[in-house]
Amino acid sequence: MAQGARKSFRLPESRPHYPPHRYFQTNHAKIELSVDLEKKSISGSCTLELTPFSPTLDRVLLDACELDVRGCLVDGAQAEFEYDNETLAVAMKPASGTRSIRVDYKASPKEGLYFTAPDTEHPEKEVQAWTHSEPESARYWFPCHDHPTDKATSETVITVPKGFRVISNGRLLSTKEEGGMTTFHWREDVPHSSYLTSFVAGKFETITQEIGGIKLHYNFPESKKDDVLRYFGETPRIIEIFGEVTGVKYPYEKYDQTTVQDFIAGGEENINATTLAMNYYPEPGSEEDFQPAYATPFNNAVNLVAHEAAHQWFGDLVTCSDWCHAWINEGFATYLQSLYVEKTRGADYMRWEMRAREAEYFEEDENEYRRAIVDRDYVWPHDVFDHTLYRKGAAMLHELRYIMGDEAFFRGINGFLKAYSRRCADTNDLRKSMEKSCGLSLEEFFEQSFFKPGYPEFQVEYSWDDSSQAATLHVRQSQDTSDGTPIFKLPCDIVFYVGGVRKKFRTVLDAAEQTLVFSLEEKPTVVEFDPERWLLKKVKFDKSVRMLEDQLEQSQDAWSRAEAATALGKILSDGAVPALKAAALKEQFWDVRACAVRALGEIGSDSANAALLEVGLPANRRVRRSLAKALGSFKGEKTRKALVNILENDESPYVRCEAALALAKSWPDGSLPHLKRAMAVHSPNETLAEACLEAMGKIKEEETKGIIGESLAYGRPTRVRIGALKAIKARGRVAEDELGVLKDMLQDKEFRVRQYLVSVLIRELADARFADALKDVSNKDRNHGVRRKALETFYELTGSLEKSVALQKLKEEVEELKEDNRRLTKAAGPS
Ligand SMILES: [Zn+2]
């Protein structure tokens, strides 16, 4: 698909969603299930203790999907019920006080509860059952009011074959063995939403650590025992720091983290029993730059563990009151990850990481759709769990911190958590809590940040007037406002370096165009716009090579130095090579060195090439990675040898990945033998093989087709299969004889493969031969992310989106006219 072709978040199937009616409060849910791991089924009961809001209530409606309901009891007596496979209606005689509803059922769930087992291609797979219910899949394994607003305490009484363990929420009350089966009885006393109730059944070992009296259990399959602390070792520090940051101590009695086979997300924050994916285990020696796949350099075990731990406060203790406010869960969890990084790795590292994540948001915004963070118009609730929710949500909290100042911001968060603990909250609830702590009116900020789409795109021009000793900044907000994106009102720091001294001015930007004038003692060497990087924005600020070189050398802010290096690369000035080379060698913060190296690659001249070769192999792995990528801009034999050396010998698989891609880019003929050899080298999740395959997409089709074809097969590691799909994407077309294979892969067992196909490969190749198959996936796939992306891509391919939306609008207008007409006729008629 062409870059920059933004689509609408609204699809023809989108509807405004509001919380469902709820006629009772669930106080307690007791789920008693026997789990058949072979037949992949459950049988048992769910008993809900609930209080009707009105004593006249004569029917309880419960969400219950695809269950085989065997009977219902109300207060211990048989009760009539109706069931349409989605809603269970249980009749009861009206009475005051608390009621007990028991539902007996069996099920073979297709979502909500998942079963894994070895098969011919994957004999190593673990026999397990685990739940993942967010947003609304709890109803597939127990009947309940399946919406965050109904918070109840819970008990899970789960029976599994002897030898298996069950991990669930709260404390383990008992384990009982009987007839070759073991029953685990857990109880959670903190009221929580239905989607946070969970269990995991499997064969696990456990390592336990402790912080402040809280037991932290890490549960893992035996094969991972040597890697466990590389995954979870920072948990005590994370729990401690989040307690300090929020001013609220970890609110539960224990914390379980369990890694399971084939998990359908990175992690899920089930209340004090987080479930996590297996592909985040760093291997020995890989901690420094570990990531589950080479394409997401900011993704790692520490971040994932921090994210899910943060949810124990934001999401679990305080929960979004509806999915359109889900940023309260995800924006906070993402931002707390950054706060942890700030406390343990410093502000520069945090800014780098926030920028890397925001790049994902910008990509979604530019190439997919733009939407407000709070948006009710979706097809399925899971649709809102996108980069706007996570990345922009976190960025808006960072802006809020800037506006309020640290003291008021963190006090406000503490007040919010205390006020809504064990309850639900929406965006306005948060605003009011924050206003209370700082006295500022935040309504305008919240309106532009959470209820309107987009971000400011600043164009800045600077001039200096010698006679008046004044610096003038002309600032324009150039974003397109036709889609509801506002002209933003935001504070912004302007910094000048005058005679070696840093002078900071806090200004307010609030107009489409404005001119700011600053009196200074002499002409500044450096002029910076938000150098501490508080704002989510794009900036076009052209500066001379001299000014950028000064900025690279003098700025106290690493982020600003990194920007200067990047900007020098864009100017393509050979004159900047010495300054960039100096930065690549001597700069103290690794990201600035990485940016300088990248900029030399961008400049692409002979002197830049020579400078890069003289930089040698930087000690920092991420800088080396940048170097490998930059070398791909050059053609000389020395460079080729340097890349082959990196591909074959670098200690970091991620640096090798970059070398593979660079080698194929510059030497499509002749790189294949090197790529074939590197493909066989083991790396975490086989991501090096993935990169080698992607690189093969640049090489002539007839030489690589066989390798790509073999690599697609189920049974090969997931990243290898995705690498083969990346190769086809890089090649730019799906060959006729691959079509059937790829269509079959739309029903693949691995959701990551299906996801890549529908959201990247088919989408970017705009291959209309897949249109019907995509529509089918959007109707049938049980993975919510895959379903949504299939539907988006279907509309892109068929080009019918605009038409359908227009048609829908026309229909609504006709309906309105009809309604008006009816009203007029009625008013005019006899009464
Ligand atoms: Zn999350």
Side-chain angles (χ1 to χ4, degrees):
M1 196 192 107
Q3 289 275 308
R6 190 189 290 145
K7 305 288 173 185
S8 172
F9 178 66
R10 306 237 183 315
L11 300 177
E13 288 84 350
S14 298
R15 295 284 174 272
H17 286 71
Y18 295 91
H21 299 308
R22 178 163 70 97
Y23 300 100
F24 55 83
Q25 166 63 44
T26 307
N27 306 311
H28 187 72
K30 185 173 185 181
I31 303 158
E32 298 172 84
L33 295 175
S34 184
V35 180
D36 191 327
L37 292 164
E38 266 175 38
K39 292 198 180 120
K40 304 186 175 179
S41 65
I42 48 173
S43 67
S45 67
C46 174
T47 307
L48 303 172
E49 304 292 337
L50 50 87
T51 309
F53 293 145
S54 159
T56 62
L57 189 72
D58 59 2
R59 204 166 72 130
V60 168
L61 298 180
L62 298 172
D63 298 307
C65 277
E66 299 171 13
L67 304 181
D68 175 7
V69 178
R70 316 297 283 215
C72 296
L73 300 177
V74 174
D75 300 329
Q78 289 288 348
E80 299 280 318
F81 66 90
E82 282 173 27
Y83 183 46
D84 64 1
N85 228 20
E86 281 185 9
T87 306
L88 177 64
V90 185
M92 65 182 191
K93 288 203 179 73
S96 55
T98 299
R99 314 296 299 269
S100 163
I101 313 278
R102 174 177 157 147
V103 182
D104 290 291
Y105 61 100
K106 292 182 174 182
S108 301
K110 297 285 178 292
E111 59 185 279
L113 172 59
Y114 302 81
F115 293 85
T116 66
D119 57 23
T120 323
E121 293 85 355
H122 283 289
E124 80 289 356
K125 281 197 178 177
E126 299 277 335
V127 175
Q128 291 176 353
W130 41 262
T131 62
H132 183 299
S133 303
E134 192 180 18
E136 295 185 346
S137 298
R139 60 188 70 181
Y140 289 87
W141 64 280
F142 67 97
C144 57
H145 183 84
D146 198 9
H147 188 267
T149 42
D150 195 22
K151 286 196 166 190
T153 55
S154 68
E155 263 167 292
T156 46
V157 186
I158 309 291
T159 302
V160 290
K162 199 177 156 189
F164 286 84
R165 274 175 65 196
V166 174
I167 293 139
S168 184
N169 322 101
R171 66 181 189 281
L172 182 61
L173 298 181
S174 69
T175 52
K176 255 196 300 208
E177 290 195 7
E178 204 182 314
M181 304 294 279
T182 314
T183 300
F184 294 80
H185 187 169
W186 291 81
R187 184 182 169 96
E188 176 55 60
D189 287 324
V190 175
H192 55 277
S193 308
S194 55
Y195 76 90
L196 295 167
T197 303
S198 69
F199 77 85
V200 167
K203 292 186 174 169
F204 299 106
E205 296 193 7
T206 301
I207 288 179
T208 301
Q209 293 189 319
E210 196 175 321
I211 184 77
I214 309 291
K215 289 258 195 311
L216 312 168
H217 309 295
Y218 318 140
N219 310 302
F220 51 90
E222 201 262 335
S223 61
K224 292 294 183 190
K225 68 173 186 294
D226 295 332
D227 300 331
V228 177
L229 290 180
R230 270 189 291 276
Y231 198 146
F232 296 110
E234 291 194 41
T235 309
R237 189 91 180 95
I238 288 169
I239 296 287
E240 187 180 36
I241 284 179
F242 289 169
E244 286 164 17
V245 162
T246 61
V248 174
K249 214 176 154 277
Y250 179 78
Y252 318 98
E253 53 198 302
K254 60 94 182 179
Y255 187 39
D256 267 292
Q257 294 177 93
T258 310
T259 51
V260 300
Q261 186 78 58
D262 298 341
F263 198 48
I264 55 167
E268 176 61 22
E269 66 269 22
N270 305 306
I271 191 162
N272 59 54
T274 287
T275 312
L276 303 111
M278 296 280 282
N279 58 340
Y280 280 77
Y281 276 104
E283 291 182 9
S286 75
E287 300 94 320
E288 189 187 325
D289 59 345
F290 172 79
Q291 51 198 83
Y294 69 88
T296 48
F298 47 87
N299 229 354
N300 58 43
V302 173
N303 272 330
L304 177 64
V305 169
H307 181 95
E308 304 308 332
H311 272 311
Q312 301 302 320
W313 284 262
F314 295 97
D316 296 5
L317 191 62
V318 176
T319 310
C320 62
S321 59
D322 196 7
W323 301 117
C324 68
H325 298 287
W327 81 270
I328 300 250
N329 298 11
E330 299 303 345
F332 267 107
T334 307
Y335 190 52
L336 258 67
Q337 271 174 254
S338 296
L339 293 178
Y340 178 71
V341 165
E342 184 181 8
K343 293 261 181 198
T344 55
R345 276 97 168 146
D348 289 339
Y349 196 105
M350 176 195 74
R351 286 171 193 158
W352 167 75
E353 212 176 65
M354 282 191 80
R355 185 196 62 183
R357 283 204 211 100
E358 282 161 17
E360 290 189 319
Y361 162 69
F362 285 130
E363 202 182 299
E364 175 178 279
D365 179 83
E366 286 159 24
N367 299 327
E368 294 187 47
Y369 52 74
R370 171 173 291 189
R371 72 174 184 92
I373 292 177
V374 180
D375 192 338
R376 297 185 177 282
D377 278 358
Y378 46 79
V379 185
W380 300 290
H382 185 273
D383 299 355
V384 300
F385 287 77
D386 59 5
H387 294 312
T388 302
L389 194 78
Y390 288 71
R391 314 306 190 210
K392 188 181 170 187
M396 293 305 97
L397 286 170
H398 195 55
E399 283 187 4
L400 188 57
R401 174 180 168 191
Y402 176 51
I403 289 167
M404 293 174 71
D406 274 15
E407 193 279 327
F409 177 76
F410 288 108
R411 194 158 37 75
I413 284 184
N414 176 260
F416 173 66
L417 274 174
K418 284 184 173 156
Y420 294 95
S421 168
R422 303 180 174 214
R423 296 169 57 200
C424 287
D426 66 21
T427 307
N428 282 320
D429 294 329
L430 175 72
R431 173 177 58 77
K432 286 177 204 157
S433 286
M434 296 313 250
E435 282 176 337
K436 246 188 221 168
S437 86
C438 67
L440 298 171
S441 164
L442 295 171
E443 206 148 341
E444 189 175 11
F445 174 76
F446 269 64
E447 181 70 16
Q448 75 179 17
S449 305
F450 299 105
F451 296 94
K452 289 188 174 167
Y455 48 86
E457 292 172 56
F458 295 110
Q459 288 187 358
V460 185
E461 278 165 31
Y462 156 77
S463 60
W464 171 255
D465 181 42
D466 247 339
S467 58
S468 60
Q469 296 286 88
T472 300
L473 256 64
H474 187 73
V475 183
R476 224 159 66 79
Q477 293 196 32
S478 63
Q479 64 272 18
D480 178 3
T481 53
S482 64
D483 60 357
T485 299
I487 295 296
F488 290 84
K489 179 177 181 179
L490 287 164
C492 180
D493 291 341
I494 311 293
V495 170
F496 300 97
Y497 285 74
V498 183
V501 178
R502 184 183 195 261
K503 297 206 162 195
K504 179 158 99 173
F505 299 86
R506 171 80 53 100
T507 60
V508 174
L509 304 174
D510 58 358
E513 275 196 62
Q514 62 201 108
T515 301
L516 309 165
V517 181
F518 305 86
S519 286
L520 302 170
E521 299 81 59
E522 58 179 88
K523 188 176 177 182
T525 49
V526 178
V527 183
E528 296 175 320
F529 186 86
D530 186 28
E532 293 164 26
R533 210 187 167 276
W534 287 101
L535 307 178
L536 178 76
K537 64 185 180 310
K538 285 187 180 167
V539 184
K540 189 173 181 312
F541 187 172
D542 292 331
K543 297 175 188 174
S544 66
V545 171
R546 180 59 205 269
M547 277 180 87
L548 289 169
E549 285 176 354
D550 284 343
Q551 185 175 327
L552 178 60
E553 203 184 295
Q554 295 171 21
S555 178
Q556 291 172 20
D557 298 291
W559 162 250
S560 177
R561 299 197 300 277
E563 272 207 320
T566 304
L568 283 168
K570 289 200 177 116
I571 292 177
L572 303 180
S573 160
D574 225 21
V577 168
L580 286 168
K581 185 181 158 193
L585 288 167
K586 284 185 246 150
E587 161 66 38
Q588 49 170 326
F589 186 55
W590 63 266
D591 181 44
V592 186
R593 299 202 295 278
C595 287
V597 162
R598 213 173 298 135
L600 288 167
E602 296 260 324
I603 290 173
S605 64
D606 289 347
S607 65
N609 192 1
L612 269 185
L613 291 168
E614 280 160 35
V615 164
L617 288 177
N620 183 291
R621 293 176 172 202
R622 290 199 179 93
V623 183
R624 248 178 12 251
R625 201 174 156 167
S626 244
L627 177 89
K629 188 168 184 179
L631 288 174
S633 305
F634 304 98
K635 299 267 182 202
E637 181 56 18
K638 268 191 188 164
T639 308
R640 195 189 67 83
K641 276 190 179 150
L643 276 175
V644 169
N645 177 41
I646 293 172
L647 178 63
E648 287 176 357
N649 300 311
D650 204 282
E651 61 170 358
S652 163
Y654 310 103
V655 181
R656 289 181 174 206
C657 288
E658 220 64 74
L661 292 163
L663 198 64
K665 182 181 158 205
S666 278
W667 289 273
D669 303 322
S671 60
L672 190 58
H674 299 291
L675 295 174
K676 275 192 196 163
R677 266 203 301 281
M679 225 185 119
V681 176
H682 169 71
S683 62
N685 301 317
E686 307 308 331
T687 195
L688 176 55
E690 176 191 7
C692 289
L693 278 158
E694 180 176 359
M696 285 179 199
K698 303 269 180 225
I699 298 170
K700 280 193 214 88
E701 191 174 320
E702 56 273 26
E703 292 175 38
T704 57
K705 207 165 167 206
I707 303 172
I708 291 169
E710 285 162 26
S711 304
L712 287 172
Y714 176 73
R716 303 300 310 281
T718 314
R719 299 299 337 163
V720 169
R721 306 182 72 204
I722 291 174
L725 295 175
K726 285 183 170 179
I728 296 174
K729 189 192 111 192
R731 185 212 288 158
R733 65 177 202 97
V734 174
E736 200 60 48
D737 57 347
E738 284 167 341
L739 193 62
V741 177
L742 294 192
K743 278 190 180 170
D744 286 348
M745 283 174 90
L746 286 171
Q747 263 92 51
D748 199 82
K749 285 186 191 174
E750 296 188 278
F751 84 93
R752 283 194 176 84
V753 169
R754 306 200 302 278
Q755 188 145 41
Y756 188 85
L757 262 171
V758 304
S759 61
V760 186
L761 181 67
I762 299 175
R763 181 164 181 263
E764 296 207 1
L765 297 186
D767 194 329
R769 291 174 293 176
F770 289 93
D772 292 345
L774 282 174
K775 186 75 186 164
D776 204 42
V777 171
S778 77
N779 285 325
K780 292 187 190 146
D781 203 289
R782 302 306 287 247
N783 182 292
H784 297 236
V786 173
R787 199 159 71 180
R788 164 79 195 195
K789 289 296 165 200
L791 194 58
E792 281 178 18
T793 304
F794 167 76
Y795 282 117
E796 281 185 30
L797 292 192
T798 53
S800 57
L801 177 57
E802 277 85 345
K803 265 186 274 167
S804 305
V805 169
L807 198 68
Q808 181 66 25
K809 210 167 162 227
L810 201 66
K811 270 191 202 157
E812 279 165 17
E813 279 169 10
V814 170
E815 280 308 312
E816 267 173 42
L817 279 174
K818 274 191 194 161
E819 185 56 30
D820 283 351
N821 207 11
R822 268 197 288 275
R823 247 177 286 157
L824 282 172
T825 320
K826 217 172 159 190
S831 58

